[in-house]
Amino acid sequence: MILSRLIRNLLSLAFAIILAGQAAAQTVQLSLDEGRAAARSAVLAGNFQLARDFALALTEANPDDRTALVVLAAAQPQLGQAREGRAAGLRAFRLSTTESERYEAARLVALAAANEERYTLSQYWLRRAAANAPDPAAYAQTARDFRGISNLNPWSVRFAFNIAPSNNVNGGSVGDCNQYYTVIVDGIPQQFCFGTLSEDAQALSGVTATGDLRLRYRLSAGEDFITQMTLRAYARNVWLSDDASESAPDSRNSDFASQVLEFGLSREMRMGDGSLAAQVLFGTSWFGGDPSQRYVRGTLGYALPVGEATRLNLGGFVEKSYRYVGEWEPRSERISLNAGLTHILPSRDRVTGQIIFERQFSDGVNERYTSATAQLSYTYAEPLGPVRLSVQGGLSYTSFQDYQLLFPTPRDDTRLFATVQATLHEIEYAGFVPVVRLTAEQTDSNVGRFTREAVTLDLGFRSSF
């Protein structure tokens, strides 16, 4: 190791003397291979000016000399020319033919971009490097570098894409009756159906695809606080199955498509032994190509350690929404409160329980409700074979106390739901791993149209670092 370093230093000194013209009494000629070796030796020794001179001479002879481009990509940022170094790294990446070469070039491009303070671009190229990492150690180093750049980057980008086959893509009823009524005739109860649901109000099978882009920008930060701006763009598309298209021939896929745009401001800060988070959110949604609603939501949350392995979470929000009927008009006001506990077991498995209470007020009698939800989740710390597993289940009860059709008919919905999520951690590309989620839910209601069942298999990807 010491001998190798000494040789590199001696080579650097010798070539520096040659280039400086201090050996004018004789001419020294180097082959291209010797020039490449000299350039690499110089950059490894930290003599970036000499390395750049050699590399520029090599690229004059051959603009596609990959070795020279790699040296330029490494040396230029150290000499205050990060943009030129990034350009050289890009050319080297395009000329690379092996994983190791692409890994080397991608990391150099990422380093140059970081020197330009283009941190998002740097993170992109670190993901390209991770996709070509030659071994686990190189991958782990790239993941650490990515997290380091994330701490410097005021922008945070998260994107999720999911494809989900489902037997109920439209949230339709399991039957065709709008409302059942029981009438006593000669002492015998008889059930009658009031109103038949249209085909598109009944459960339709098919496939959904969702894309969810979330951006955060750090406006200011200190030791005890962080203030951020948030942006979100969400889209959901539906493709009906052949059976569903036959059942509802007048329905188009676009009838069930939805989009959401949101803008928010948030602040997190330490408060006592815990942390306080506050957010103001403005959103607009569309359904079936038409404006659906606008809303303003204020959220407050507080997290507090309770012992060494337990955390208490308290929170809630207040939301005011508007509906579009040719113009925007007030629709409803909603209040939600929640409390939860997260406990880390000795096995490092995580258990989380949560209770949510919600109340909605509206001029529309059928939109007023009170609900309570209890849910429990369990996340395994260690992989189970090729997957990391988590499960969740819960029960929700909602009372529409003023609901009415022809006459007041208080509506009660009881919803059961369960989810199993498997992360295939051994299948990884560019820092993304596939996630498979199976969700089953059932809603029983005394109003027939709201009795629903759905089983959905969700296939997506998430970032592993």
Side-chain angles (χ1 to χ4, degrees):
M1 185 71 176
I2 296 176
L3 179 61
S4 175
R5 188 181 302 113
L6 178 61
I7 291 173
R8 288 199 301 270
N9 291 337
L10 290 174
L11 283 171
S12 299
L13 177 61
F15 291 124
I17 292 173
I18 292 170
L19 289 177
Q22 296 180 19
Q26 60 181 19
T27 300
V28 177
Q29 294 183 343
L30 298 177
S31 68
L32 290 177
D33 286 341
E34 290 172 334
R36 295 185 189 104
R40 277 192 174 276
S41 296
V43 79
L44 289 172
N47 194 335
F48 301 113
Q49 181 67 55
L50 177 61
R52 182 177 66 178
D53 292 342
F54 271 116
L56 288 174
L58 289 167
T59 55
E60 285 182 10
N62 178 12
D64 291 335
D65 189 319
R66 185 187 174 281
T67 298
L69 291 170
V70 166
V71 171
L72 282 174
Q76 296 278 42
Q78 304 300 324
L79 298 171
Q81 296 180 329
R83 182 176 180 180
E84 291 79 359
R86 179 165 55 84
L90 286 169
R91 289 171 60 194
F93 185 87
R94 296 189 186 103
L95 294 168
S96 299
T97 58
T98 66
E99 277 192 348
S100 295
E101 287 180 347
R102 286 190 289 270
Y103 174 78
E104 175 187 49
R107 283 187 59 85
L108 288 171
V109 175
L111 175 63
N115 273 270
E116 294 180 273
E117 297 186 357
R118 300 183 64 176
Y119 299 120
T120 301
L121 182 63
S122 178
Q123 288 175 297
Y124 169 78
W125 279 99
L126 284 172
R127 287 198 181 277
R128 297 289 297 270
N132 292 280
D135 53 61
Y139 182 90
Q141 180 60 54
T142 303
R144 287 193 293 270
D145 293 341
F146 186 95
R147 287 189 286 268
I149 295 295
S150 295
N151 292 332
L152 298 173
N153 192 359
W155 283 102
S156 171
V157 182
R158 291 289 182 268
F159 179 72
F161 176 76
N162 299 276
I163 296 178
S166 174
N167 66 347
N168 192 348
V169 295
N170 62 325
S173 171
V174 296
D176 62 357
C177 184
N178 184 40
Q179 173 63 50
Y180 289 102
Y181 288 99
T182 300
V183 178
I184 306 299
V185 180
D186 293 331
I188 301 174
Q190 296 187 32
Q191 194 172 59
F192 296 90
C193 176
F194 170 72
T196 301
L197 295 175
S198 61
E199 290 84 355
D200 60 359
Q202 301 174 49
L204 299 175
S205 60
V207 176
T208 67
T210 60
D212 195 354
L213 175 65
R214 297 171 184 260
L215 304 177
R216 288 181 177 271
Y217 182 75
R218 185 171 62 243
L219 296 172
S220 61
E223 292 185 3
D224 299 328
F225 75 94
I226 181 170
T227 304
Q228 298 183 99
M229 175 185 69
T230 62
L231 296 169
R232 182 193 182 200
Y234 169 90
R236 177 181 185 265
N237 290 323
V238 171
W239 290 270
L240 297 175
S241 67
D242 292 340
D243 289 342
S245 296
E246 291 179 7
S247 300
D250 294 331
S251 295
R252 298 173 299 172
N253 294 332
S254 58
D255 293 340
F256 308 104
S258 60
Q259 300 83 33
V260 175
L261 285 176
E262 291 181 340
F263 169 79
L265 293 172
S266 66
R267 186 177 179 91
E268 298 177 28
M269 65 192 81
R270 290 183 186 175
M271 182 171 287
D273 294 330
S275 60
L276 180 70
Q279 183 184 53
V280 177
L281 191 70
F282 304 87
T284 302
S285 65
W286 294 261
F287 186 81
D290 297 321
S292 176
Q293 71 170 351
R294 284 181 176 173
Y295 49 92
V296 181
R297 183 186 307 151
T299 302
L300 198 64
Y302 185 68
L304 177 70
V306 182
E308 296 183 356
T310 305
R311 192 173 186 85
L312 171 66
N313 294 280
L314 302 172
F317 67 80
V318 177
E319 178 184 279
K320 186 174 181 62
S321 65
Y322 303 80
R323 79 180 93 210
Y324 187 76
V325 286
E327 61 181 4
W328 294 101
E329 65 175 25
R331 177 183 182 182
S332 63
E333 296 178 356
R334 186 160 55 119
I335 299 174
S336 179
L337 300 172
N338 66 79
L341 282 174
T342 298
H343 181 69
I344 306 298
L345 300 173
S347 62
R348 294 190 296 119
D349 294 351
R350 185 171 70 250
V351 183
T352 300
Q354 188 177 38
I355 298 175
I356 305 168
F357 294 97
E358 193 166 287
R359 184 85 183 263
Q360 179 163 289
F361 306 89
S362 174
D363 290 337
V365 293
N366 289 350
E367 295 187 357
R368 302 171 192 160
Y369 68 80
T370 303
S371 72
T373 302
Q375 59 188 37
L376 186 69
S377 65
Y378 191 98
T379 301
Y380 292 88
E382 296 298 326
L384 302 176
V387 303
R388 293 186 180 275
L389 197 65
S390 65
V391 295
Q392 183 188 63
L395 171 67
S396 177
Y397 172 76
T398 304
S399 173
F400 294 80
Q401 58 273 15
D402 299 321
Y403 194 86
Q404 64 180 35
L405 290 174
L406 288 179
F407 49 84
T409 306
R411 168 187 156 198
D412 298 311
D413 294 357
T414 301
R415 175 174 170 259
L416 286 169
F417 58 92
T419 299
V420 178
Q421 178 174 294
T423 302
L424 307 179
H425 65 98
E426 293 184 353
I427 304 174
E428 194 158 2
Y429 181 79
F432 291 95
V433 293
V435 178
V436 181
R437 184 185 301 110
L438 178 64
T439 301
E441 56 183 301
Q442 176 180 309
T443 301
D444 291 322
S445 176
N446 64 321
V447 177
R449 67 180 301 178
F450 299 106
T451 296
R452 300 166 177 166
E453 292 180 356
V455 177
T456 303
L457 180 65
D458 198 306
L459 309 174
F461 296 88
R462 70 168 180 83
S463 177
S464 62
F465 53 70

